[in-house]
């Protein structure tokens, strides 16, 4: 009971914070080339509040193999179960082996090959992750133990480095069926321990050429894990 | 066609607002009826978490205490309390309103073998009805399930069950109030107090205490309630991380209720800032692969340079930034940028750098970014190497690397007329919005407010010259029914505020011209003339020396001001004054800022104002100020000197989206005429401070956001 009540109250007073912000600021409108008046900010945020109901669009399910066959650029579905959201992403840019995968609403997921490097515009984002060594191991199918850092911003905008102690192992070969097509993959599992004792379990399914066909990768405490599936090579 | 197919399937990938995680509870120290860490009516030896800001309302026996407490530093907390005591019947009021300030010092923190120890001064500058000092200790047991506290109190806190005495406590000479009463401290009888807090489950507390407060006046002379027993009991529930409620049995005769709201700058309600993703950095093909891209012929063409400016300007608008001017050489680019969108200066820098990587010709190797403010004031220049921008976008320690590699320097030369982006000058802007004004602590009615509408416009014909004005009209409110007439001896420079509300609606809030100039180096100057604020018109001049890499800035301001009439139009009254200050702005240690102003105030009185502020990295500020001038207490009136609390909260902290909007408050327990300053729009320090290295570093983590 306590939790439910607390969550209701929590939600109530987050709403209250917004109302308070509106009142305190008494934000104005006017000539505003950049759309940055306080009022437009509040409007944006209110527009983002979860809607009571409505049909949930189903991303990947809505795509038929025929539709996919007409597309010849890389596409990837990303789902974040903890916030009940998913999207289809395309590559908007690449820099030094890191691809910026972009959703239509300006959220991006940066991937160093198969490994999550950063998120932007999703929520309290992953600022960056150490990926290079892990990428090489995944692509070569090597196992081993190593440590790598994740970076976040805290409530005061300070960089927080979270060191992980990880082990990578091979789970075996698996055939995945992705949009009616069978993909042979090697399933690798990365188990990491955080300083606070929490254990993270990332999974990677890679094709023989190193393409990441499917994965489950930790983002942050608020967002939890993301699941990815490659639709178009 | 391909693009179309993609975007048709694309869905939003965004956490809905308000998905901040239910953080694990609590346990910060719970507060008592005085709004500071305590049992029921007695203090404990604990402190609040650093930076915590707690508002508490507690009521029993017709006594309602509203307290704002702030943990200014890990070991120092201060609070302001406004109490209403029903049936007090003093000076012709049936309800007596009292203001009091507390200060607490955490002498020892708790560890395995010792308790925490706190030294407290209660009501140390008010009228003294709550005055008391104490030393209290607290120790947690059984995984924090049980907290045992005990202490010794003096003054009010030593009025029941005294076990000894340290001299005699002199009577407080109340006078006009507002003075330190150091000669009373730790004098007179002292008595022990203490109690237990038990947390059977995480969210629930049960409290029992023995109180050493005899409520002599309330129980005796005033007969507000009967104090039958020294034992108090309470039950409290933590509704959420921020909200706590409690119910109590007090002094064997009364029932009490309390609620507290705790907020902390380090705990944004939305869990952090979520902006749309920034544009990705565009890397150039290497010179060996595409030597043709690295030619510099473009620099000769006015047309191509214009195209670069235009492209950059458009891309920046999409990122809530405005390109004011762009200076190009074959290998360097200097962008003059108005940051319209980001409270974090580093984020504005980062997004500008990303855009420049996308729009600048490949031969440009160096980006210099100059933030401009208030119609063209150039803030310190930040120079980045394009190669670094390309490399560190995708490095795990990319933000730290950029911080180490950036070079900050004094403002660069103003842009040449040919370098301005199209449509920037002359600039015209207007805005309309609601306003809220409040008046607190009038004994006739402690809370009054007006809600109205405000219309403002500005015109910037050339860089550095601004003409601006605003008018306001009240829609609803009761600020004009102040009837209290005060017999004050100083010129009425502030105390006539009610007359402005009564007679001036609608009114011209301000109407002025301002000229900003930069004589060179780290100097900034300003001349402002016109109707400067609601009560004064005049001419204001200011000079500021503020090196970008120093923790000290010096300023001087000289103004001639003449009082405006109450009707809010162009009319003036006879009173005029030359007023001004020399100021030192000093960041004493990181996050703690002090400002000392010495000079002549509006009523012609002379003296100094000391302000102390805690400036959190994310822009929250909480502070206090006091002004002492050469008027004696009687001449000043109630309160003896001007003082107050200031707070400023970036709106983005509330809403989780970048915006530069900030809400600021100044709260004074009393408004009198001594120590009053002219309020000039667009003073320099606030503008120039945005460009300091400290501001950049405070939120540097947002460079790549």
């Amino acid at each position: 009971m306590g939790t439910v009540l607390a969550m209701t109250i929590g939600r109530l007073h987050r709403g209250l914070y917004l109302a308070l912000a509106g009142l305190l600021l008494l934000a104005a409108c006017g000539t505003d080339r950049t759309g940055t008046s306080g009022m437009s900010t509040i409007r944006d945020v209110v527009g983002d509040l979860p809607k009571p109901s409505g049909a949930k669009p189903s991303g990947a399910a809505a795509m038929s193999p025929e539709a996919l066959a007409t597309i010849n650029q890389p596409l990837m579905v990303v789902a974040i179960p903890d916030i009940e959201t998913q999207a289809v992403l395309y590559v908007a840019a690449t820099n030094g082996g890191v691809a910026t995968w972009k959703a239509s609403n300006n959220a991006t997921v940066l991937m160093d090959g198969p490994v999550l490097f950063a998120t932007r515009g999703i929520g309290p984002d992953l600022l960056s992750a150490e990926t290079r060594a892990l990428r090489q191991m995944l692509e070569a199918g090597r196992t081993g133990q190593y440590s790598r850092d994740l970076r976040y911003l805290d409530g005061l905008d300070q960089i927080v480095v979270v060191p992980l102690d990880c082990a990578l192992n091979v789970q075996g070969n698996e055939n995945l069926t992705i949009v009616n097509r069978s993909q042979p993959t090697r399933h690798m599992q990365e188990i990491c321990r955080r300083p606070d004792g929490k254990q993270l379990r990332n999974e990677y399914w890679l094709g023989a050429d190193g393409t990441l066909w499917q994965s489950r990768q930790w983002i942050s405490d608020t967002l939890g894990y993301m699941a990815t599936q490659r639709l178009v090579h | 066609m391909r693009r179309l197919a993609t975007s048709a399937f694309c869905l939003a990938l965004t956490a809905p607002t308000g998905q901040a995680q239910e953080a694990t509870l609590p346990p910060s120290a719970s507060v008592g009826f005085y709004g500071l860490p305590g049992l029921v009516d007695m203090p404990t030896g604990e402190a609040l978490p650093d930076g915590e800001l707690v508002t508490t309302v507690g009521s029993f026996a017709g006594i309602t205490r509203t307290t704002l407490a702030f943990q200014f530093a890990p070991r120092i907390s201060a609070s302001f309390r406004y109490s209403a005591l029903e049936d007090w019947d003093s000076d012709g009021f049936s309800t007596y309103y009292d203001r009091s300030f507390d200060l607490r010092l955490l002498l020892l923190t708790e560890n395995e073998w010792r308790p925490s120890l706190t030294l407290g001064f209660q009501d140390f500058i008010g009228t003294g009805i709550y005055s008391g000092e104490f030393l209290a200790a607290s120790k947690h047991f059984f995984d924090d399930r049980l907290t045992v506290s005990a202490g010794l109190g003096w003054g009010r806190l030593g009025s029941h069950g005294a076990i000894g005495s340290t001299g005699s406590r002199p009577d407080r000479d109340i006078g006009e109030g507002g003075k330190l009463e150091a000669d009373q401290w730790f004098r007179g009888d002292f008595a022990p107090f203490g109690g237990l807090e038990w947390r059977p489950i995480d969210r629930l507390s049960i409290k029992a205490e023995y109180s050493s407060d005899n409520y002599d006046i309330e129980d005796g002379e005033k007969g507000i309630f009967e104090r039958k027993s020294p034992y108090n009991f309470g039950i409290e529930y933590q509704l959420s991380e921020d909200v706590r409620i409690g119910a109590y049995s007090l002094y064997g005769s009364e029932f009490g209720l309390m609620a507290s709201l705790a907020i902390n700058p380090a705990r944004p309600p939305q869990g952090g800032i979520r902006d749309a993703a920034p544009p990705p950095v565009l890397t150039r093909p290497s010179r060996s692969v595409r030597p043709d891209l690295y030619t510099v012929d473009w620099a000769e063409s006015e047309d191509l340079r214009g195209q670069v400016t235009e492209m950059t300007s458009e891309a920046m608008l999409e990122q809530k930034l405005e390109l004011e001017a762009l200076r190009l050489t074959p290998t360097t680019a200097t962008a003059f940028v108005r940051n319209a969108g980001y409270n974090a200066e580093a984020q504005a820098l980062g997004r500008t750098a990303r855009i420049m990587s996308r729009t600048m010709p490949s031969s440009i190797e160096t980006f210099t970014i100059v933030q401009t403010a208030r119609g063209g004031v150039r803030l310190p220049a930040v120079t980045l190497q394009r190669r670094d921008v390309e490399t560190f976008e995708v490095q795990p320690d990319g933000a730290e690397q950029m911080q180490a590699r950036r070079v900050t320097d004094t403002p660069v030369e103003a842009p040449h007329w040919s370098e301005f982006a199209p449509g920037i000058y002359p600039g015209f802007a207007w805005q309309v919005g609601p306003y809220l004004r409040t008046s607190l602590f009038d004994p006739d009615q402690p809370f009054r407010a007006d809600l109205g509408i405000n219309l403002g416009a500005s015109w910037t014909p050339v860089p550095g010259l601004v003409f601006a004005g605003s008018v306001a009209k009240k829609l609803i409110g009761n600020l004009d029914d102040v009837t209290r007439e005060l017999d004050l001896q100083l010129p009425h420079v502030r105390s006539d505020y009610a007359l402005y509300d009564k007679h001036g609606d609608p009114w011209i809030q301000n109407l002025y011209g301002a000229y900003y100039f930069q004589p060179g180096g780290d100097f900034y100057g300003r001349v402002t003339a016109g109707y400067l604020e609601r009560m004064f018109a005049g001419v204001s001049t200011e000079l500021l020396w503020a090196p970008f890499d120093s923790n000290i800035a010096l300023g001087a301001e000289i103004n001639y001001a003449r009082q405006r009439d109450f009707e809010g139009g162009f009319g003036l009254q006879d009173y005029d004054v030359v007023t001004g200050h020399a100021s030192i702005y000093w960041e004493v240690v990181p996050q703690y800022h002090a400002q000392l102003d010495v000079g002549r105030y509006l009523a012609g009185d002379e003296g100094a104002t000391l302000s102390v502020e805690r400036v959190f990295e994310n822009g929250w500020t909480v502070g206090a100020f006091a002004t002492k001038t050469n008027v004696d207490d009687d001449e000043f009136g109630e309160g003896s000197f001007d003082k107050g609390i200031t707070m400023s909260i970036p709106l983005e902290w509330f809403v989780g989206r970048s915006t530069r909007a900030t809400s600021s408050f100044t709260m004074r327990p009393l408004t009198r005429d001594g120590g009053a300053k002219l309020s000039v729009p667009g003073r320099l320090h606030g503008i120039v401070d945005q460009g300091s290295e400290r501001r950049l570093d405070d939120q540097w983590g947002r460079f790549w956001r």
Side-chain angles (χ1 to χ4, degrees):
Chain A
M1 167 231 132
T3 323
V4 174
L5 179 62
M7 282 178 68
T8 314
I9 297 283
R11 207 159 294 145
L12 266 178
H13 85 256
R14 269 191 291 271
L16 184 81
Y17 271 121
L18 279 182
L20 203 67
L23 194 72
L24 293 182
L25 185 83
L26 290 167
C29 59
T31 46
D32 182 12
R33 293 215 297 160
T34 50
T36 50
S37 74
M39 201 51 126
S40 49
T41 307
I42 289 176
R43 216 181 296 125
D44 284 357
V45 174
V46 171
D48 273 1
L49 288 173
K51 301 286 181 301
S53 66
K56 272 224 178 81
S58 48
M63 302 191 113
S64 66
E66 296 75 35
L68 285 175
T70 65
I71 300 166
N72 57 358
Q73 82 178 83
L75 283 187
M76 176 171 77
V77 187
V78 172
I80 304 175
D82 280 10
I83 58 167
E84 291 169 17
T85 191
Q86 61 171 329
V88 178
L89 281 66
Y90 63 95
V91 176
T94 57
N95 179 4
V98 176
T100 301
W101 293 81
K102 190 166 183 234
S104 63
N105 71 332
N106 255 339
T108 57
V109 173
L110 281 75
M111 304 280 289
D112 185 6
V115 188
L116 175 65
F117 170 74
T119 67
R120 294 288 183 270
I122 299 179
D125 287 303
L126 171 65
L127 185 66
S128 67
E130 240 180 300
T131 56
R132 296 292 140 89
L134 172 59
R135 175 183 182 164
Q136 284 166 13
M137 291 169 75
L138 284 169
E139 287 173 349
R142 279 205 317 270
T143 60
Q145 296 199 338
Y146 50 92
S147 62
R148 64 187 188 106
D149 294 341
L150 304 181
R151 278 175 170 76
Y152 300 93
L153 290 185
D154 68 11
L156 292 167
D157 282 333
Q158 304 306 293
I159 296 172
V160 179
V161 181
V162 179
L164 303 178
D165 273 322
C166 304
L168 184 68
N169 55 67
V170 180
Q171 294 290 96
N173 293 329
E174 290 174 23
N175 272 322
L176 300 180
T177 307
I178 294 172
V179 205
N180 296 343
R181 282 222 308 252
S182 177
Q183 294 292 349
T185 64
R186 184 173 55 241
H187 180 187
M188 312 266 299
Q189 187 181 60
E190 182 195 27
I191 294 185
C192 301
R193 184 170 287 278
R194 275 199 323 210
D196 65 359
K198 187 178 167 71
Q199 186 172 291
L200 310 175
R201 206 180 81 231
N202 295 334
E203 320 249 8
Y204 308 85
W205 287 263
L206 294 101
D209 62 349
T211 303
L212 181 76
W213 282 100
Q214 186 172 289
S215 76
R216 173 182 187 261
Q217 303 189 44
W218 176 256
I219 307 176
S220 67
D221 282 328
T222 312
L223 300 175
Y225 286 93
M226 72 166 187
T228 72
Q229 197 168 61
R230 187 70 170 258
L231 293 179
V232 179
H233 193 359
Chain B
M1 182 59 224
R2 214 189 308 150
R3 179 168 297 254
L4 247 179
T6 319
S7 56
F9 290 113
C10 287
L11 303 172
L13 185 66
T14 297
T17 302
Q19 284 280 351
Q21 211 169 29
E22 295 298 328
T24 46
L25 282 169
S28 71
S30 64
V31 299
F33 266 87
Y34 282 100
L36 282 160
L39 290 157
V40 181
D41 210 23
M42 291 292 116
T44 62
E46 301 165 287
L48 295 166
D50 187 31
E52 196 94 346
L53 200 60
V54 184
T55 310
T56 308
V57 183
S59 184
F60 74 98
I63 300 168
T64 304
R65 297 178 192 145
T66 304
T67 309
L68 179 68
F70 177 54
Q71 193 72 35
F72 181 72
R75 285 169 181 268
I76 305 171
S77 68
S79 68
F80 171 70
R81 181 177 311 105
Y82 191 63
S83 310
L85 299 99
E86 283 173 32
D87 305 320
W88 182 275
D89 297 316
S90 109
D91 304 329
F93 301 111
S94 73
T95 299
Y96 177 73
Y97 294 100
D98 180 75
R99 283 159 277 231
S100 53
F101 293 91
D102 295 2
L103 187 69
R104 288 194 185 180
L105 305 172
L106 180 67
L107 300 180
L108 294 175
T109 53
E110 183 178 341
N111 65 19
E112 250 173 90
W113 48 273
R114 70 166 191 226
S116 56
L117 185 66
T118 291
L119 182 69
F121 301 85
Q122 189 167 291
D123 193 5
F124 72 112
I125 41 176
T127 41
I129 69 163
Y130 284 129
S131 89
E133 301 80 45
F134 66 86
L135 205 53
S138 292
K139 182 96 182 72
H140 293 81
F141 298 97
F142 309 118
D143 285 341
D144 297 347
R145 291 285 169 209
L146 182 70
T147 312
V148 178
S149 300
L152 267 188
W154 280 258
R156 195 178 170 109
L157 298 171
S159 60
H160 174 84
I163 54 166
S165 139
T166 44
S168 67
R169 197 174 178 90
D171 277 342
R172 187 175 272 200
D173 164 29
I174 290 181
E176 298 290 351
K179 281 196 287 195
L180 288 177
E181 301 289 349
D183 58 342
Q184 288 195 325
W185 293 347
F186 298 101
R187 302 281 294 276
D189 289 350
F190 58 86
F193 60 83
L196 306 171
E197 175 176 358
W198 176 47
R199 282 201 309 137
I201 57 170
D202 280 353
R203 293 169 178 274
L204 188 73
S205 280
I206 291 165
K207 292 176 164 181
E209 74 171 9
Y210 168 83
S211 164
S212 60
D213 187 339
N214 205 37
Y215 278 79
D216 284 326
I217 306 176
E218 292 86 342
D219 186 17
E221 189 189 329
K222 301 291 183 186
I224 293 181
F225 78 100
E226 197 183 341
R227 185 189 186 281
K228 287 184 178 163
S229 141
Y231 297 104
N232 299 327
F233 302 93
I235 179 160
E236 292 174 5
Y237 191 75
Q238 189 87 32
L239 279 177
S240 70
E241 198 180 6
D242 311 344
V243 181
R244 193 173 173 88
I245 53 171
Y248 309 86
S249 154
L250 290 116
Y251 299 106
S253 59
E254 295 292 336
F255 174 71
L257 288 173
M258 190 173 74
S260 67
L261 171 70
I263 55 181
N264 194 309
R267 223 168 44 222
Q270 312 292 344
I273 301 299
R274 197 205 85 217
D275 291 329
V281 168
L282 206 61
T283 49
R284 298 164 292 174
S286 75
R287 196 184 287 265
S288 53
V289 177
R290 291 287 305 275
D292 55 311
L293 287 180
Y294 287 78
T295 57
V296 294
D297 322 341
W298 62 268
E300 306 297 319
S301 157
E302 208 57 51
D303 199 34
L304 289 175
R305 299 164 69 103
Q307 276 179 32
V308 172
T309 306
E310 203 161 313
M311 243 163 41
T312 309
S313 173
E314 277 169 24
M316 302 241 318
L317 274 181
E318 281 174 34
Q319 299 299 321
K320 304 178 179 184
L321 297 163
E322 274 185 280
L323 182 69
E324 182 160 320
L326 186 64
R327 175 176 300 155
L328 295 168
T329 74
T331 56
T332 68
T334 304
F336 296 80
V337 180
R338 294 180 192 166
N339 170 9
Y342 304 92
N343 179 54
E345 309 295 345
Q347 194 174 359
L349 269 185
R351 294 211 173 198
T352 303
R354 285 168 176 277
I355 292 164
M356 291 174 83
S357 80
R358 301 173 71 84
T359 60
M360 294 299 142
S362 296
S363 64
I364 289 178
E365 295 290 346
T366 304
F367 298 159
T368 297
I369 301 168
V370 180
Q371 200 198 135
T372 64
R374 275 293 282 193
V377 178
R378 282 160 284 122
L379 301 179
V382 178
T383 299
L384 309 168
Q385 292 308 314
R386 186 173 193 165
R387 182 97 29 219
D388 292 340
V389 174
E390 289 167 341
T391 306
F392 293 109
E393 181 203 19
V394 292
Q395 295 296 326
D397 59 349
E400 293 96 321
Q401 292 287 350
M402 290 310 292
Q403 185 170 23
R405 284 152 203 265
R406 74 153 202 253
V407 178
T408 313
D409 207 349
T410 46
V412 299
E413 218 174 289
H416 184 255
W417 64 266
S418 65
E419 293 166 346
F420 285 105
I424 285 285
Y425 291 106
F428 179 78
W430 60 270
Q431 67 166 25
V432 59
Y435 74 81
L436 176 72
R437 296 176 58 232
T438 56
S439 155
L440 303 174
F441 314 134
D442 181 337
D444 294 334
Q445 178 149 12
F447 182 81
R448 285 197 181 86
D450 272 6
L451 189 64
I453 190 153
N454 183 65
L455 172 69
S458 69
W459 181 55
T460 316
V462 294
L465 189 60
V466 184
F467 295 94
S470 71
V471 292
K473 170 85 186 87
K474 166 184 151 180
L475 298 176
I476 185 169
N478 56 0
L479 286 183
D480 56 0
D481 51 57
V482 176
T483 50
R484 187 154 285 260
E485 300 235 339
L486 297 164
D487 177 25
L488 298 169
Q489 301 173 30
L490 291 171
H492 288 197
V493 294
R494 285 288 179 234
S495 56
D496 283 341
Y497 56 87
L499 295 175
Y500 287 90
D501 287 315
K502 216 167 268 183
H503 303 296
D505 181 45
W507 74 95
I508 297 170
Q509 175 63 32
N510 54 41
L511 185 64
Y512 61 90
Y515 175 61
Y516 290 88
F517 57 97
Q518 289 172 263
D522 301 310
F523 284 92
Y524 302 81
R526 171 184 62 80
V527 179
T528 309
Y531 292 80
L532 302 173
E533 52 147 297
R534 195 171 185 184
M535 301 184 196
F536 286 89
V539 181
S540 166
T541 59
E542 184 185 3
L543 193 65
L544 178 74
W545 175 74
F548 62 90
D549 56 352
S550 162
N551 54 0
I552 289 186
L554 301 174
E557 183 180 298
I558 297 176
N559 316 302
Y560 168 77
R562 187 152 166 194
Q563 194 160 20
R564 292 175 62 187
D565 68 16
F566 305 130
E567 280 72 31
F570 295 104
L572 298 172
Q573 303 187 47
D574 291 336
Y575 181 76
D576 65 349
V577 64
V578 173
T579 167
H581 299 89
S583 303
I584 300 179
Y585 309 87
W586 182 27
E587 183 187 8
V588 185
V589 290
Q591 295 192 35
Y592 294 90
H593 295 223
Q595 181 181 338
L596 180 69
D597 306 310
V598 180
R600 189 158 187 237
Y601 293 79
L602 274 177
D605 48 336
E606 286 163 12
T609 303
L610 178 66
S611 323
V612 178
E613 260 182 347
R614 173 145 184 204
V615 182
F616 292 85
E617 291 100 335
N618 60 2
W620 263 77
T621 64
V622 181
F625 62 91
T627 301
K628 188 68 190 145
T629 61
N630 60 347
V631 294
D632 59 37
D633 300 351
D634 290 346
E635 230 180 323
F636 183 90
E638 191 186 351
S640 304
F641 62 95
D642 189 53
K643 57 194 163 297
I645 296 167
T646 56
M647 206 189 294
S648 159
I649 309 170
L651 180 76
E652 68 168 23
W653 183 86
F654 281 105
V655 302
R657 284 297 180 84
S658 271
T659 164
R660 278 176 83 78
T662 294
S663 53
S664 302
F665 320 86
T666 299
M667 190 179 72
R668 289 181 159 86
L670 289 155
T671 301
R672 293 291 181 265
D673 299 308
K677 271 194 217 158
L678 185 67
S679 163
V680 185
R683 294 190 72 232
L684 286 171
H685 187 258
I687 296 171
V688 171
D689 189 51
Q690 298 163 31
S692 67
E693 286 215 296
R694 173 188 65 79
R695 284 289 297 138
L696 282 179
D697 288 334
D698 276 351
Q699 288 171 295
W700 188 260
R702 276 165 70 179
F703 183 86
W704 289 121
R705 287 289 295 267

